[in-house]
Amino acid sequence: MQRIRLRYTKRGRLRFTSHRDFQRAFERALRRSEVPMAYSAGFTPHPKVSYANAAPTGTGSEAEFLEIALTEPRDPAALRESLDASMPDGLDIVEAVEARTSGLADRLTASVWELRLDGVGLPEARQAVAAFLAAETVEVERRTKNGLRTFDARAAVVRLEALDGAFEGAADRPGLGACAILRLVVRHSTPAVRPDDVLSGLRATADLAPPVPAAVTRLAQGLLNEETGTVTDPLAPDREAVTAAPPTAAGLTAATGGSPARGGAPEGSA
């Protein structure tokens, strides 16, 4: 059984698709591309697809991950092209690699987020960021299926900075004037701290209230480097394993132009 790991995006209006909507679109793409999927056992078999830490509905993303299991080997690059062609524009399959290591989900320990705050000036954003980072705890409330829950949004934030975004995307969102962009690294924790929780924390600590909803995009997710506060590519170990793998017997044959020996000395030897 071959396992392929894929990175996909949610862009433009497709950021409003739910995880269930993506699942339906992806399973249609698998059928259209005639991917030889492995299926689960039982009365209701379903294709073996493992999703990891999907972004909330309404947020864009450049770094969503999943893994599929195949009954027949396929070239990852060709598989990616075929699946991407069968997906809606905005839900793009951008990378595929054969799984050569275990524990993809264990390597998704943090995310890099970008929050575009139209109508918020850079000085105001920087002041709010400073107040948030200076606080030991920032309690926020979120309504869940079990009712209103209070938790600390500060502990999960590893890095947070404000940048000037007045000239970025001005053609897409004209007339809003000032714009600040927040870049933050958030550790995946329990309960999960989402970008909107950080916005609630900024409102609580510095009364920061953007006049329009923030445009939120996940730029990356992967293993958190605690020393630098950066996030590493979770597919890198699989790429490195493919590169480091020794050539197969078939590969050696192709390289030398000969045929593999069968059961003893080559023909013509004494």
Side-chain angles (χ1 to χ4, degrees):
M1 182 181 297
Q2 184 188 37
R3 294 179 298 125
I4 302 290
R5 289 169 177 167
L6 304 171
R7 179 169 68 90
Y8 67 94
T9 70
K10 291 172 60 181
R11 296 168 173 162
R13 292 189 301 172
L14 272 298
R15 69 184 185 274
F16 294 107
T17 57
S18 68
H19 182 56
R20 183 168 295 181
D21 291 334
F22 175 83
Q23 286 179 302
R24 285 194 286 261
F26 184 67
E27 290 185 10
R28 283 196 298 268
L30 290 172
R31 292 193 294 270
R32 289 171 181 168
S33 301
E34 299 181 345
V35 178
M37 290 296 298
Y39 280 76
S40 63
F43 292 104
T44 56
H46 58 274
K48 288 189 175 181
V49 183
S50 300
Y51 298 93
N53 196 40
T57 302
T59 63
S61 180
E62 294 294 316
E64 302 297 290
F65 296 93
L66 61 84
E67 181 177 299
I68 59 177
L70 310 183
T71 57
E72 300 174 9
R74 288 291 186 269
D75 174 61
L79 179 65
R80 185 208 69 78
E81 289 183 8
S82 178
L83 287 173
D84 185 52
S86 300
M87 293 290 288
D89 290 340
L91 298 178
D92 304 316
I93 310 296
V94 294
E95 192 172 1
V97 62
E98 184 174 2
R100 296 293 186 94
T101 61
S102 61
L104 174 63
D106 295 335
R107 296 201 292 268
L108 302 179
T109 61
S111 290
V112 181
W113 294 95
E114 178 180 280
L115 284 64
R116 181 182 175 88
L117 308 181
D118 285 300
V120 175
L122 184 58
E124 181 184 3
R126 284 179 171 167
Q127 182 179 4
V129 165
F132 182 92
L133 294 176
E136 291 187 7
T137 60
V138 179
E139 289 194 347
V140 298
E141 293 182 336
R142 185 201 304 161
R143 187 166 297 280
T144 68
K145 61 182 180 181
N146 296 321
L148 203 61
R149 184 169 186 177
T150 301
F151 57 94
D152 177 24
R154 174 63 186 90
V157 177
V158 180
R159 296 176 60 187
L160 175 60
E161 60 179 339
L163 308 171
D164 189 1
F167 300 103
E168 296 185 25
D172 298 330
R173 312 182 89 179
L176 292 173
C179 173
I181 288 179
L182 301 183
R183 292 272 174 85
L184 57 154
V185 176
V186 180
R187 184 183 288 105
H188 297 168
S189 58
T190 303
V193 173
R194 305 184 310 198
D196 55 328
D197 298 321
V198 176
L199 286 174
S200 296
L202 291 168
R203 187 181 303 112
T205 56
D207 199 27
L208 181 69
V212 296
V216 181
T217 303
R218 173 149 57 191
L219 301 180
Q221 66 169 321
L223 190 65
L224 176 65
N225 185 319
E226 296 283 356
E227 293 184 1
T228 63
T230 57
V231 173
T232 61
D233 181 0
L235 298 184
D238 295 301
R239 287 195 222 92
E240 293 167 1
V242 170
T243 303
T248 62
L252 285 172
T253 300
T256 59
S259 59
R262 296 184 180 178
E267 287 186 37
S269 62

